[in-house]
Amino acid sequence: MAEDLYVNGGSKDEKYRALLPQLKNLVEGESDMIANLANVSAALKETFGFFWVGFYIVKGGELVLGPFQGPMACTRIKKGRGVCGTAWEKAETQIVPDVDAFPGHIACSSLSRSEIVVPLKTGGGNVCGVLDIDSEELNSFDETDAHFLGILCDML
């Protein structure tokens, strides 16, 4: 069944507040994690117009590309490497205003200018994946994004 999102214009905060309850209803009705990650990627891309939105899943000691929206991406990332690997290693959200200034940044696309990565954690607190969002603009992400994307990742 096709799902429609209802998010009118407004501030970033207002968009997240309108989107999150809809995504909660969507993911609570589906037990398949890949399906939920795919729909969440699409919803975030559609709502905010981010350059790239997707998930990496911890498999066999590395992050492996999962569902995403945007251009092709890096397939595997080691723990501690780049923004995604750092978020995994530290088990905390990484907000990067300028990816060129991030030591060890992995440039999957030269068009990416800023990034936020939010860990997905199991009930026991272990990181099982990350939500990665890239923007073509500098300084696109802030504590508002970190707050609401953290809530979203907790729902997943």
Side-chain angles (χ1 to χ4, degrees):
M1 175 173 128
E3 300 290 339
D4 292 319
L5 292 175
Y6 299 99
V7 179
N8 293 328
S11 69
K12 183 190 302 189
D13 184 89
E14 291 167 331
K15 287 180 181 180
Y16 278 118
R17 289 183 188 278
L19 180 63
L20 262 60
Q22 295 175 72
L23 291 178
K24 183 177 183 190
N25 288 334
L26 182 68
V27 302
E28 284 179 346
E30 176 54 58
S31 61
D32 187 89
M33 181 60 79
I34 298 299
N36 285 332
L37 298 180
N39 273 330
V40 167
S41 296
L44 289 169
K45 177 108 166 112
E46 182 179 330
T47 300
F48 294 99
F50 296 130
F51 175 66
W52 194 92
V53 179
F55 292 90
Y56 284 90
I57 311 300
V58 175
K59 292 184 182 180
E62 57 190 351
L63 291 170
V64 179
L65 182 64
F68 71 93
Q69 297 282 312
M72 290 191 306
C74 302
T75 306
R76 295 177 182 270
I77 300 172
K78 298 207 178 297
K79 194 172 202 174
R81 289 213 52 234
V83 182
C84 290
T86 300
W88 176 22
E89 182 177 60
K90 293 184 175 184
E92 59 188 37
T93 298
Q94 302 293 304
I95 300 172
V96 181
D98 179 354
V99 296
D100 292 333
F102 189 88
H105 175 254
I106 301 169
C108 295
S109 170
S110 61
L111 298 177
S112 177
R113 303 291 302 162
S114 60
E115 185 171 2
I116 186 169
V117 180
V118 183
L120 290 168
K121 297 179 182 177
T122 64
N126 295 321
V127 176
C128 59
V130 298
L131 166 60
D132 179 17
I133 304 177
D134 292 12
S135 171
E136 292 176 292
E137 305 294 326
L138 293 170
N139 299 306
S140 290
F141 306 104
D142 56 25
E143 289 303 320
T144 297
D145 299 289
H147 172 73
F148 286 107
L149 294 172
I151 292 170
L152 174 61
C153 286
D154 288 345
M155 282 193 285
L156 296 169

